[in-house]
């Protein structure tokens, strides 16, 4: 932490003018650590942050819509239509995402990707799957070669 000088230019100017310097007394006090100053600043209102945490928040919103009025909530409407309709909608969004990826439309791909994730979460809610279950599976697979992981899966007898 930088040392605070005992006098400042302002203090010297005040002395030259024959005025008593109040700043001189306060300059000798030990400065508060920066951390204490930062903590004293009131926190800004919480806004959604652009991180993967948004998926957990979205999951909680979809769960809260389950069983509510389908006329008021898109999530409630999808959930009320059942698993087949949810899966169909997810498939439609996945295809739209693929089309934008192949076309090289990055902006559209971002929007379609968000749609895919939303509809995937609706499927999870319908199936009783919590995001932490999926995150745990991803964690389990971390550090494992995709080739090795696939080779360890049971073989499909119908696969050619």
């Amino acid at each position: 932490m930088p040392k605070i000088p005992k006098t400042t230019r302002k203090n010297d100017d005040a002395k030259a003018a024959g005025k008593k310097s109040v700043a001189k007394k306060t300059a000798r006090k030990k400065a508060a650590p920066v951390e204490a100053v930062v903590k004293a600043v009131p926190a800004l209102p919480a806004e959604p942050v652009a991180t993967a945490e948004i998926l957990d928040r979205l999951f909680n919103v979809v769960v809260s819509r389950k069983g509510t009025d389908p006329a008021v909530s898109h999530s409630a409407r999808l959930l009320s239509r059942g698993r087949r309709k949810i899966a169909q909608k997810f498939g439609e969004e996945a295809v739209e995402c693929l089309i934008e990826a192949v076309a090289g439309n990055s902006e559209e791909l971002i929007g379609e990707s968000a749609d895919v994730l939303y509809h995937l979460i609706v499927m999870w809610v319908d199936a009783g799957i919590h995001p932490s279950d999926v995150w745990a599976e991803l964690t389990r697979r971390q550090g494992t070669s995709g080739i090795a992981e696939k080779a360890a899966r049971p073989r499909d007898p119908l696969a050619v």
Side-chain angles (χ1 to χ4, degrees), residues 4 24-32:
I4 299 173
K24 183 177 180 181
K25 290 179 184 176
T26 59
R28 287 184 183 158
K29 288 183 182 178
K30 188 174 181 181

Side-chain angles (χ1 to χ4, degrees), residues 140-141 143-154:
R140 186 188 69 76
R141 292 180 183 188
T144 303
S145 159
I147 294 170
E149 191 275 329
K150 190 168 182 176
R153 292 181 191 170

Side-chain angles (χ1 to χ4, degrees), residues 30-158:
K30 188 174 181 181
V34 174
E35 296 81 25
V37 174
V38 172
K39 289 178 185 175
V41 174
L44 296 174
E47 293 182 21
V49 179
T51 67
E53 186 180 284
I54 191 71
L55 297 175
D56 291 325
R57 291 197 300 264
L58 179 58
F59 176 83
N60 291 332
V61 169
V62 174
V63 166
S64 75
R65 300 301 197 270
K66 191 172 185 176
T68 61
D69 185 1
V72 177
S73 164
H74 181 66
S75 297
R77 183 177 19 205
L78 279 170
L79 290 164
S80 72
R81 291 180 175 174
R83 190 163 293 169
R84 283 180 166 245
K85 188 63 177 177
I86 295 167
Q88 178 187 350
K89 191 65 181 160
F90 174 77
E92 290 170 6
E93 297 300 339
V95 168
E96 290 171 10
C97 190
L98 293 169
I99 290 168
E100 298 304 341
V102 170
N105 298 328
S106 296
E107 288 298 316
E108 289 81 2
L109 178 57
I110 291 168
E112 294 302 336
S113 296
D115 291 346
V116 166
L117 290 172
Y118 164 74
H119 287 89
L120 178 61
I121 287 173
V122 173
M123 268 199 312
W124 290 350
V125 169
D126 183 68
I129 294 172
H130 194 276
S132 62
D133 300 327
V134 178
W135 309 157
E137 177 63 13
L138 289 170
T139 301
R140 186 188 69 76
R141 292 180 183 188
Q142 190 173 0
T144 303
S145 159
I147 294 170
E149 191 275 329
K150 190 168 182 176
R153 292 181 191 170
R155 189 166 171 98
D156 182 0
L158 301 176

